[in-house]
Amino acid sequence: MASSVGTAPGGAAAMTTPGQLKMSSKLLRQRAQEFLASRKHANNLVDIIGMWEGHTLACILTMETIFGELLKRGDMYVERTISLTISEPTAEMRYTNWLRNCYEEIWVKILNSMEDPRPAIQTQALTTAIKLMAAEGRTPLEPVENVEYYFPLHRLKLIIMKLLSPEKENFSLIARFQEISSYLDALFFTWKCLPALTPKRQPQHVYIRNLLEFVHKLPLPEENNSQNGNSNNPELLCGPQQAAGGFKCDYASAKKALNKVWSCIMHWELTPQIHKQLLIVLLERVMPHLEKPVLMTDFLMDSLDADGPIGLLALQGVFVLVTKHNLEYPNIFTKLYSMFEPEIFHTKYKARLFYLSDLFLSSTHLPEALVAAFAKRLSRLTLVAPPEDILIILLFIGNLLLRHPGLKRLIDHPQNHQLISKEETGAGDPFLMEERDPLQSNALLSSLWEIKALQCHILPSVATAARFIRDPLPSVEYDMASALERTGGHSFDREIKNKVKDIMLTFERPSSMALPKGERILQYWQLTTMH
């Protein structure tokens, strides 16, 4: 199998035998060392390239060694000069051009290997591409003029284009690419070239998912411990390049690039799955860096009407606009009230709902009828909630009672005592669970009999927590954030870390197949081993 670059100038054509196709990684490294040591072994490079299909992983590693060293030594560097006469290229120039042709062919093969179905080859191809890009940035192939800091953007764009594939999801590769965000220059230039790779027209859904994952994983330079876009001692992928003036990062430029990318994304049609992913990226990565976050109002309002996680995530975005950008949304409490349904306990983002609801209802100037409706609805949901969620709801209700002392009537009200026996069966409760308007739910006419019922819960932790309505309320509110961290998936991790008491199974460690010492049967029988 011959390479498209042909043989080295002045060398004989290399014959590829079946034995060469079975060349091991050790022999590949040996051929690479021979090539780097002497030009008389130049055709070793052709042989290695020709064996790419059969030994892809080993060839990628070998090419990383070969071209990393060639770049370091400057063997492919060409000084571009303007000549008025046409002359025959020297042998040295022909060899250098041949190396550069091989280098370009290798780049194509490495980038194509990132689409290989085998994860190990994908990851190694990405790693090698980044290392070669870094080496080329430190020692460019040609003179660099009028540039303060050289970074091979043309290589970076090709890598990102492969990551943003329209045909297959590359979440694992994107997570691996995220490692270069620790290098300030690579992070800045990645954002710099991303708008040019974002189409304005509707792309494939797979491409959108890859792009959203890419934006989610990639921080902005400001988040990378840089102040005003600069850092005193930044870690750079392509080296200091002090002679060229050094690297200067512009946070405003990176922020502008993010806004360009996001403006394109907001014009695309979204499936429910992509809609949810987009909201997560917007809330966790993009929102703090938008130039005009208020422009997201219509999108978030439309998303708020969706059921399930989409509406819940949109609620968090609306909360940001209300608290930080003075957005007025009079029906926000009605929408929040409608989200407390039994189905919420089976969603991934229920912790966000409890946390945001506690913040929304933190004001002591809210009408008591409104807060009472939330307390009563939450109390009713404890009858069908999982035990860990019951504990959170009880803390939430406790906070509402602390902020609004008038709500203690839901615990002890003279008019409620005569209804307690009926309310415990749910027949005489004036509270309207199906009412969508919290102010029309008759919550102030009811009582928290559900919490009283929980005092007989089968789990001692729930029964103990429900007894808070019998005791004087604390003077300080419960910390919902820390309580949410102690529940859910954290409970399993906490139990795993608990040390189990060691139980001694034997008093004496057995040293052979013989019976323990002191066993009476040993007086009459002896266990022997057949050899």
Side-chain angles (χ1 to χ4, degrees):
M1 188 186 302
S3 172
S4 62
V5 298
T7 60
M15 298 297 294
T16 304
T17 64
Q20 288 176 324
L21 294 177
K22 299 180 180 180
M23 185 181 298
S24 64
S25 298
K26 182 178 180 180
L27 292 179
L28 278 173
R29 289 194 298 270
Q30 181 181 349
R31 287 289 185 93
Q33 295 301 325
E34 292 175 353
F35 169 79
L36 293 172
S38 175
R39 291 189 180 183
K40 68 179 182 180
H41 298 291
N43 284 322
N44 284 10
L45 180 60
V46 180
D47 293 337
I48 297 173
I49 295 176
M51 296 164 52
W52 193 279
E53 297 299 327
H55 303 81
T56 305
L57 185 59
C59 286
I60 292 175
L61 291 169
T62 305
M63 290 303 166
E64 179 184 319
T65 302
I66 291 175
F67 286 100
E69 181 63 23
L70 292 177
L71 287 167
K72 183 178 179 181
R73 296 192 316 205
D75 288 359
M76 294 187 292
Y77 180 81
V78 174
E79 187 76 36
R80 297 297 182 185
T81 59
I82 300 177
S83 178
L84 299 178
T85 60
I86 300 176
S87 59
E88 185 72 18
T90 63
E92 183 70 22
M93 181 58 67
R94 289 199 303 271
Y95 181 75
T96 302
N97 290 333
W98 176 75
L99 287 178
R100 289 166 67 101
N101 290 335
C102 291
Y103 183 55
E104 295 302 327
E105 181 181 354
I106 285 303
W107 261 102
V108 174
K109 290 183 174 294
I110 291 175
L111 292 171
N112 289 336
S113 297
M114 290 171 59
E115 300 176 347
D116 194 282
R118 292 164 290 186
I121 293 179
Q122 292 180 17
T123 305
Q124 186 57 53
L126 175 62
T127 303
T128 298
I130 293 175
K131 288 183 178 180
L132 291 178
M133 178 180 66
E136 188 174 338
R138 288 188 290 267
T139 55
L141 297 177
E142 298 177 357
V144 179
E145 299 177 357
N146 301 322
V147 176
E148 292 184 355
Y149 184 86
Y150 175 71
F151 194 96
L153 275 176
H154 61 295
R155 306 294 186 194
L156 180 61
K157 287 183 178 180
L158 293 174
I159 295 174
I160 297 176
M161 286 173 63
K162 288 296 181 180
L163 294 177
L164 303 180
S165 170
E167 299 176 356
K168 70 183 187 70
E169 294 181 352
N170 286 325
F171 288 1
S172 59
L173 282 181
I174 292 172
R176 189 62 183 269
F177 183 83
Q178 182 190 11
E179 297 176 6
I180 75 166
S181 63
S182 60
Y183 300 98
L184 196 57
D185 56 344
L187 181 61
F188 173 75
F189 286 108
T190 298
W191 280 113
K192 192 76 173 176
C193 67
L194 195 57
L197 303 178
T198 306
K200 294 183 179 180
R201 295 184 178 181
Q202 177 76 24
Q204 298 289 335
H205 288 159
V206 176
Y207 175 88
I208 300 176
R209 288 183 56 80
N210 283 329
L211 179 61
L212 290 174
E213 183 70 11
F214 193 83
V215 174
H216 193 203
K217 294 295 185 182
L218 202 66
L220 278 177
E222 188 185 47
E223 300 175 36
N224 205 45
N225 300 324
S226 61
Q227 184 178 4
N228 296 325
N230 296 311
S231 181
N232 294 329
N233 295 303
E235 189 175 4
L236 303 178
L237 184 66
C238 293
Q241 298 187 21
Q242 296 295 336
F247 171 72
K248 295 180 181 179
C249 180
D250 182 11
Y251 164 68
S253 179
K255 180 180 177 180
K256 186 177 181 180
L258 170 61
N259 279 266
K260 287 182 178 180
V261 172
W262 200 253
S263 64
C264 292
I265 294 176
M266 295 308 299
H267 289 89
W268 297 340
E269 296 180 2
L270 308 174
T271 63
Q273 185 181 19
I274 295 177
H275 195 167
K276 182 176 71 173
Q277 185 184 4
L278 185 145
L279 283 169
I280 295 173
V281 177
L282 174 65
L283 297 172
E284 298 182 355
R285 181 66 71 191
V286 177
M287 183 83 81
H289 306 287
L290 290 179
E291 295 176 351
K292 297 180 179 179
V294 181
L295 296 180
M296 294 287 102
T297 302
D298 292 339
F299 171 74
L300 291 173
M301 292 303 181
D302 294 339
S303 302
L304 202 59
D305 295 332
D307 296 327
I310 293 178
L312 180 54
L313 291 169
L315 177 67
Q316 183 177 348
V318 172
F319 176 77
V320 173
L321 294 179
V322 169
T323 55
K324 295 185 178 181
H325 303 282
N326 301 321
L327 175 70
E328 294 184 4
Y329 185 50
N331 297 325
I332 186 65
F333 292 103
T334 303
K335 183 60 183 178
L336 179 63
Y337 184 78
S338 66
M339 288 186 175
F340 284 101
E341 296 286 350
E343 292 79 12
I344 194 63
F345 301 117
H346 307 290
T347 63
K348 181 180 179 181
Y349 305 102
K350 60 183 177 183
R352 296 191 188 212
L353 178 61
F354 288 125
Y355 179 72
L356 291 173
S357 301
D358 187 55
L359 293 178
F360 268 111
L361 299 172
S362 60
S363 175
T364 57
H365 300 286
L366 295 174
E368 282 191 351
L370 175 68
V371 182
F374 277 92
K376 180 61 181 177
R377 191 174 186 86
L378 289 166
S379 178
R380 182 65 60 86
L381 288 177
T382 58
L383 300 179
V384 295
E388 63 178 25
D389 294 327
I390 294 176
L391 298 175
I392 295 298
I393 292 175
L394 293 177
L395 296 180
F396 194 180
I397 295 176
N399 283 348
L400 297 179
L401 297 178
L402 284 172
R403 295 165 190 162
H404 302 269
L407 295 184
K408 292 181 181 179
R409 63 188 295 184
L410 298 179
I411 302 175
D412 259 337
H413 194 281
Q415 297 179 0
N416 290 333
H417 288 297
Q418 58 184 341
L419 298 175
I420 290 296
S421 59
K422 293 183 179 179
E423 287 178 354
E424 289 178 351
T425 63
D429 194 340
F431 174 70
L432 303 176
M433 185 69 177
E434 303 302 325
E435 175 61 46
R436 311 309 295 175
D437 186 355
L439 296 177
Q440 303 296 326
S441 62
N442 296 334
L444 285 175
L445 302 178
S446 182
S447 68
L448 303 179
W449 61 266
E450 297 90 350
I451 298 181
K452 181 180 178 182
L454 288 176
Q455 296 175 5
C456 301
H457 198 277
I458 189 173
L459 293 180
S461 58
V462 175
T464 302
R467 296 191 185 107
F468 80 94
I469 60 173
R470 301 188 318 184
D471 305 324
L473 294 174
S475 57
V476 181
E477 292 185 9
Y478 301 104
D479 188 356
M480 289 290 292
S482 60
L484 289 169
E485 290 179 357
R486 294 194 300 268
T487 59
H490 300 277
S491 301
F492 182 77
D493 296 335
R494 186 173 62 253
E495 292 298 327
I496 289 294
K497 294 178 181 178
N498 288 340
K499 293 184 178 179
V500 181
K501 184 178 179 181
D502 294 333
I503 301 177
M504 188 173 291
L505 299 179
T506 57
F507 290 96
E508 297 179 6
R509 184 182 181 86
S511 57
S512 64
M513 294 179 60
L515 295 172
K517 294 181 181 179
E519 194 69 34
R520 246 180 159 174
I521 195 173
L522 292 177
Q523 300 178 10
Y524 311 102
W525 299 92
Q526 183 177 6
L527 187 64
T528 59
T529 305
M530 298 293 295
H531 293 284

